[in-house]
Amino acid sequence: MSNIASKLFRYEALLNAIEVFTQKFSLDQICNFAFEFTNEVLTLHASMLFVKQGDDFVSVRQKLYPFENYRIENSERLERIATFHGKSIRNRFELFFAPKDIDYLTIRFVIPLIIHDTLYGFIISDGKILGELDDDDYDVANKLMSLVNHSLENSKQFADLQAKNQLLDQTNFNLFMINQSTKALLSEVTLDKLYANAIDVFSEVSRSAVTSLGIYDEWSDTIKIRGYRDVFSHSKQYAELQLHKQIDSGHKIVLSMEHDQDIIQSIFVNWQQFAVLRAKYIVLIVKDRVIGFVTLSESVDHHDYDESYFQLIESLASATYIAVNNALLFDEISAQKKTLEQKYNTLNNLNKLVNTINHCDNQEEICYLTLRTLHLSFGIKKAFICFKKNGFYLIEHAIGAELHQERFVLSDPWQKTFDGDTVFEYTTASAHDFFNDAELVESFGNTNCIVISPLLFHNPSAYPGQEPEGFLVILETKDILKEEEVLLIDTIAKNISPILRQIKLTDAVKERYVEDVSKKFLAILAEKIRNREQYQIEFYLYYRKIERNPFQAIDPNTYPGLETYFINPYLFVLTYEPLADPQFKEIPRIQTALDLLQYPFI
């Protein structure tokens, strides 16, 4: 009866074991349950549970042994239990264990704990409380061992599956983060906002307390810190790191300030700057060379960075570099577009000016239009046009300064213009190099450049060394003088020169063949003065200043019945009766026609 009761107890214990070991438990829990069931079912005396920790097997539970901690060194013989034996051991222990361990632990029975073909641990015992272990005990032990090992394998597979699921979830999250962050970064074309967005992304993803972003700058040949964030303060740090050399593509990408000092010092000249940035890890951005880095400090929740964090940071950093290049290209294209628009506007304004001056009738209109266009359309603040008169040059038209009727002679630097070339200087003191008259230079006021473009009425190759008939001179521009502005001024001068020459020739012909109104007026005035003196025929002389633009003509029918003469800018009226029109001013009685030339007109 006792034998039947014992078997019933064991079967009942095995059923309970099946119920327990078919549930989900951790590996440590399963080992502990296995230790308890083994002791209960087999009624073992002293027993000890060993689990593999590192390279050795360490005791984690014990019963009735006079010590708690014991370590058994792993060996090929011990590993053979899983690959070649695979069941309980009740003899020939020397095939697997060292003699010292067998003697010290009084090993009489061993139940291996195996996961697939790997020895995870084992339970050893010095025998039963009563009697010796028989075949029934050995059979029950093998069944229990099989049940435990299956439970260990299931638990290990479940843990591996959870780890893979967790890794898959992390990978999915990383891909989602890369996708969303990349879209956000690539859609930003303003560099300051891009750097701010990038550093926010790095800080949030890594949960680093201090995060910084460095981007390679070709102009300075350094990596400049473009973004910095300290989650515990609003402080900012800036640094420029110089490179010793460019690393190859097979170089280590993630560098630890603690373990990779030699590599860091071999790449960066002033590597001490990383201490200012509180860097713990440096994630290099490498293409065919080092193009930047991201630094991470201790995390705010004190978690350890794993490989997935570094891969995510590296991917986001590469996307950031692409976004930075895109933003730089966008700025470059925008600048080129703006430059093209400015050049188009310049050419368009130049074309309008050329078309307009081609229809001008006199020198005054051409000079007026040229200077006004330079001022309004091309940003010229001070300029004048002068013409050669009796051995000196007379300023006849000017903008930005009171220079009308000022005169000067040419100094040696002006000889560079005699062949038709435009000369220019960028400095504010350039005017002193070309003008010897200090008072004239003082009257120029503030200047930031000088451009002298000759107005040639002759062929310089046919008459080398001959002084130009005039000059277009620029003294101040709105911004810094640009090369295209010099070309523009030279083009304008060369366009107006032949027109001015033609007008000069036309004026000469008119002077010879067309009546001169001023001479006619003075002759008639002299005749009336003689008539007054000889025949007492009194007359009255009135004048009015006419304000008009260069294109406005004076209609002689405006004052019917009156003898009128227009001598720019005054309209004179000769009459034998007083004139009641308040717009006209009377000139007091004069004795000779030449007295009119000395009259102080208002």
Side-chain angles (χ1 to χ4, degrees):
M1 289 294 293
S2 61
N3 188 28
I4 294 174
S6 175
K7 288 184 177 182
L8 288 175
F9 171 73
R10 286 185 173 181
Y11 288 138
E12 185 178 354
L14 287 174
L15 290 174
N16 291 333
I18 291 172
E19 182 180 357
V20 170
F21 291 117
T22 53
Q23 298 182 40
K24 294 179 182 178
F25 293 108
S26 66
L27 296 178
D28 291 340
Q29 289 175 322
I30 293 172
C31 291
N32 286 326
F33 290 149
F35 182 74
E36 293 174 0
F37 271 103
T38 301
N39 279 281
E40 182 178 356
V41 173
L42 300 179
T43 62
L44 300 178
H45 180 251
S47 59
M48 186 171 287
L49 170 63
F50 286 84
V51 174
K52 191 174 184 180
Q53 294 182 2
D55 294 332
D56 298 330
F57 291 92
V58 179
S59 62
V60 294
R61 291 279 303 272
Q62 67 86 22
K63 172 189 170 187
L64 298 180
Y65 274 106
F67 50 84
E68 292 187 0
N69 298 322
Y70 192 81
R71 180 181 296 271
I72 297 178
E73 293 181 4
N74 193 13
S75 63
E76 290 185 8
R77 295 186 302 172
L78 206 54
E79 293 289 350
R80 289 175 188 163
I81 296 175
T83 55
F84 297 107
H85 193 73
K87 57 183 178 180
S88 300
I89 305 171
R90 59 179 178 178
N91 52 35
R92 302 182 68 183
F93 302 107
E94 67 277 0
L95 294 176
F96 309 106
F97 293 92
K100 65 181 184 64
D101 295 326
I102 297 173
D103 294 339
Y104 191 77
L105 297 172
T106 319
I107 298 177
R108 294 293 179 268
F109 189 65
V110 178
I111 298 179
L113 304 178
I114 301 170
I115 299 177
H116 300 299
D117 57 353
T118 302
L119 184 64
Y120 180 74
F122 45 82
I123 300 171
I124 65 170
S125 175
D126 62 354
K128 295 180 65 173
I129 296 175
L130 297 174
E132 297 293 333
L133 289 165
D134 55 21
D135 291 339
D136 289 338
D137 295 324
Y138 184 66
D139 185 52
V140 171
N142 283 333
K143 288 182 172 57
L144 184 59
M145 184 196 76
S146 178
L147 183 62
V148 170
N149 289 345
H150 279 93
S151 181
L152 287 172
E153 290 176 0
N154 292 337
S155 179
K156 179 68 166 58
Q157 289 175 347
F158 182 74
D160 291 344
L161 181 61
Q162 282 187 317
K164 290 180 180 179
N165 287 337
Q166 185 178 3
L167 180 60
L168 183 61
D169 290 341
Q170 182 68 41
T171 303
N172 290 335
F173 171 77
N174 290 350
L175 291 174
F176 176 78
M177 178 63 70
I178 292 172
N179 179 57
Q180 297 299 317
S181 301
T182 300
K183 287 195 296 185
L185 294 173
L186 292 178
S187 63
E188 184 57 67
V189 294
T190 305
L191 281 175
D192 291 339
K193 292 182 180 179
L194 176 58
Y195 293 138
N197 292 345
I199 204 65
D200 287 343
V201 169
F202 294 135
S203 180
E204 293 297 329
V205 169
S206 64
R207 302 199 297 277
S208 172
V210 178
T211 313
S212 65
L213 168 66
I215 298 294
Y216 179 74
D217 178 66
E218 293 183 357
W219 294 102
S220 61
D221 194 27
T222 60
I223 295 182
K224 294 184 177 181
I225 299 302
R226 299 298 189 182
Y228 180 88
R229 184 185 184 190
D230 185 344
V231 298
F232 296 114
S233 72
H234 296 289
S235 63
K236 297 293 182 181
Q237 293 289 347
Y238 178 78
E240 294 186 12
L241 287 101
Q242 300 174 353
L243 297 172
H244 270 306
K245 62 179 182 179
Q246 295 294 353
I247 67 174
D248 55 39
S249 58
H251 202 284
K252 190 175 182 181
I253 300 300
V254 180
L255 304 177
S256 168
M257 289 295 294
E258 182 179 356
H259 304 295
D260 299 317
Q261 273 291 327
D262 293 340
I263 300 176
I264 295 173
Q265 294 180 25
S266 70
I267 298 175
F268 299 98
V269 176
N270 52 338
W271 57 271
Q272 299 88 347
Q273 291 291 325
F274 286 114
V276 178
L277 301 174
R278 293 169 58 187
K280 182 178 180 181
Y281 293 99
I282 305 168
V283 183
L284 298 178
I285 311 173
V286 180
K287 297 300 181 185
D288 54 343
R289 55 185 173 82
V290 177
I291 56 178
F293 59 74
V294 176
T295 66
L296 306 176
S297 70
E298 290 284 353
S299 63
V300 293
D301 53 1
H302 304 290
H303 75 276
D304 293 328
Y305 299 108
D306 57 23
E307 188 64 25
S308 63
Y309 278 101
F310 295 129
Q311 290 177 353
L312 177 59
I313 294 297
E314 184 182 353
S315 298
L316 292 175
S318 298
T320 300
Y321 183 77
I322 295 173
V324 169
N325 280 341
N326 288 347
L328 291 173
L329 290 174
F330 180 82
D331 288 345
E332 183 178 350
I333 291 173
S334 299
Q336 290 177 350
K337 179 182 177 183
K338 184 177 180 180
T339 301
L340 289 174
E341 290 176 349
Q342 290 175 344
K343 290 182 177 180
Y344 171 77
N345 292 333
T346 298
L347 291 174
N348 189 41
N349 290 330
L350 177 60
N351 182 60
K352 291 179 179 179
L353 173 62
V354 171
N355 289 335
T356 302
I357 62 178
N358 283 335
H359 295 84
C360 291
D361 296 328
N362 54 62
Q363 176 180 294
E364 180 185 355
E365 292 179 358
I366 293 177
C367 295
Y368 173 83
L369 280 174
T370 300
L371 293 178
R372 289 293 294 173
T373 303
L374 287 172
H375 176 64
L376 297 175
S377 300
F378 304 115
I380 303 300
K381 298 179 69 174
K382 289 181 183 177
F384 65 81
I385 296 177
C386 61
F387 293 98
K388 191 175 182 180
K389 301 285 185 182
N390 302 322
F392 56 86
Y393 284 86
L394 181 68
I395 300 176
E396 297 189 8
H397 307 273
I399 57 170
E402 293 296 332
L403 301 174
H404 188 64
Q405 298 301 313
E406 293 285 351
R407 61 180 66 186
F408 64 91
V409 295
L410 302 185
S411 57
D412 292 340
W414 292 77
Q415 294 181 5
K416 300 176 183 178
T417 66
F418 289 1
D419 293 332
D421 296 331
T422 296
V423 298
F424 57 93
E425 297 288 345
Y426 292 99
T427 61
T428 56
S430 301
H432 293 278
D433 299 333
F434 292 88
F435 296 93
N436 295 327
D437 189 342
E439 292 184 2
L440 176 60
V441 174
E442 185 70 22
S443 65
F444 291 162
N446 295 328
T447 62
N448 62 1
C449 65
I450 189 167
V451 182
I452 301 175
S453 193
L455 303 175
L456 298 177
F457 295 179
H458 62 273
N459 187 346
S461 60
Y463 303 93
Q466 181 174 328
E467 293 182 354
E469 284 73 9
F471 292 96
L472 170 60
V473 181
I474 310 300
L475 299 172
E476 185 179 4
T477 58
K478 182 179 180 181
D479 300 314
I480 298 174
L481 181 66
K482 302 180 183 63
E483 186 176 350
E484 55 265 26
E485 291 176 334
V486 176
L487 178 61
L488 169 71
I489 294 165
D490 180 70
T491 302
I492 291 176
K494 285 180 170 56
N495 272 275
I496 66 175
S497 292
I499 301 175
L500 290 172
R501 178 178 180 275
Q502 193 63 39
I503 289 176
K504 181 180 179 182
L505 295 175
T506 303
D507 289 344
V509 172
K510 286 181 178 180
E511 185 177 354
R512 185 172 181 179
Y513 297 103
V514 178
E515 182 181 43
D516 189 332
V517 176
S518 59
K519 290 182 179 180
K520 179 181 179 182
F521 172 65
L522 291 175
I524 292 176
L525 180 61
E527 182 181 355
K528 289 187 179 295
I529 292 174
R530 286 194 301 270
N531 291 336
R532 184 184 61 188
E533 297 294 332
Q534 293 179 8
Y535 307 110
Q536 286 76 44
I537 301 176
E538 193 64 47
F539 70 94
Y540 299 91
L541 176 61
Y542 296 89
Y543 79 94
R544 174 189 172 190
K545 186 176 183 180
I546 302 296
E547 299 288 347
R548 70 185 184 96
N549 60 51
F551 304 100
Q552 182 180 0
I554 298 298
D555 186 1
N557 299 319
T558 304
Y559 304 96
L562 298 178
E563 187 177 355
T564 59
Y565 300 90
F566 179 73
I567 303 174
N568 190 30
Y570 299 103
L571 179 66
F572 296 92
V573 175
L574 289 171
T575 178
Y576 293 105
E577 299 293 336
L579 188 64
D581 192 337
Q583 293 182 342
F584 286 88
K585 296 180 176 59
E586 182 181 2
I587 297 177
R589 186 185 181 107
I590 57 177
Q591 301 302 319
T592 66
L594 295 179
D595 290 345
L596 184 65
L597 301 178
Q598 306 298 326
Y599 185 78
F601 293 98
I602 300 176

